[in-house]
Amino acid sequence: THDDNAHIIYAVTGSKNIHLSHSYLHDVAVTHLITRGNTDNFLLEYNKFARNGASGDTIHRDSWSATVDDNITIRYNIFEDISNTAFIGLVNGNGDAENWQIYGNVFVHTPAVTDAQVSALIETKYASPTFVRAVNWKIYNNACCSLQIKIRWSRLMNSFWPT
């Protein structure tokens, strides 16, 4: 989009029982999906998320900007050429993000977008003024291909890195 503050899906606080599947969300200025807290029981599967704005902008950008959301399953998705903060970022709010499962996804940076880079694959922020803790998370069987990671030392302790 051409709006510098655009999101594709914006879920209000307290959204429950959401299932997003078989969608192609792409070419957005900020985030493909944003949840504002207390989201419960969200299933994200069989989607493709591509290109979310150029790296180096002054605001954080993620494919999914989440916060203290619970019972989240992210499976069988493709995240392509995501740029700036993280593919999945939990950097706003205070509390616990509980019972997340992230598996069977592909996280990739392609040669088509030369300036796509992130600080982490998945980031939770536990530093003033926001404190989000990942509690009972399971992250397994994901493919990470040609990721461009820019290291910002202040975020290393709270980030999930591909191995």
Side-chain angles (χ1 to χ4, degrees):
T1 71
H2 296 289
D3 181 351
D4 288 340
N5 295 310
H7 311 283
I8 293 178
I9 297 174
Y10 195 109
V12 296
T13 300
S15 298
K16 306 229 183 282
N17 303 317
I18 299 170
H19 182 188
L20 177 63
S21 67
H22 298 92
S23 298
Y24 178 38
L25 297 119
H26 59 94
D27 299 299
V28 64
V30 182
T31 58
H32 297 108
L33 171 62
I34 188 168
T35 50
R36 296 293 13 125
N38 300 316
T39 297
D40 186 40
N41 195 27
F42 197 120
L43 174 59
L44 188 67
E45 64 179 354
Y46 301 110
N47 300 289
K48 182 174 182 182
F49 301 91
R51 298 171 303 280
N52 69 315
S55 62
D57 292 356
T58 58
I59 60 172
H60 82 87
R61 296 171 188 246
D62 318 280
S63 188
W64 184 351
S65 178
T67 182
V68 289
D69 301 318
D70 299 330
N71 304 307
I72 308 297
T73 301
I74 303 170
R75 64 182 183 196
Y76 315 131
N77 299 285
I78 299 170
F79 294 87
E80 179 181 283
D81 295 329
I82 305 306
S83 192
N84 203 283
T85 307
F87 285 84
I88 301 166
L90 289 81
V91 297
N92 295 306
N94 288 292
D96 295 339
E98 298 182 16
N99 305 318
W100 283 53
Q101 291 190 69
I102 302 171
Y103 61 91
N105 300 288
V106 175
F107 299 93
V108 62
H109 281 135
T110 69
V113 180
T114 58
D115 66 345
Q117 59 180 342
V118 292
S119 296
L121 183 66
I122 302 165
E123 180 174 342
T124 62
K125 183 178 179 190
Y126 197 76
S128 184
T130 62
F131 297 90
V132 179
R133 287 187 332 151
V135 176
N136 193 33
W137 281 39
K138 295 177 178 84
I139 304 169
Y140 56 95
N141 295 339
N142 296 287
C144 300
C145 308
S146 302
L147 297 186
Q148 302 298 315
I149 304 290
K150 60 181 178 181
I151 297 175
R152 293 192 293 200
W153 292 108
S154 64
R155 296 190 178 188
L156 280 178
M157 291 180 56
N158 303 317
S159 301
F160 297 92
W161 298 86
T163 56

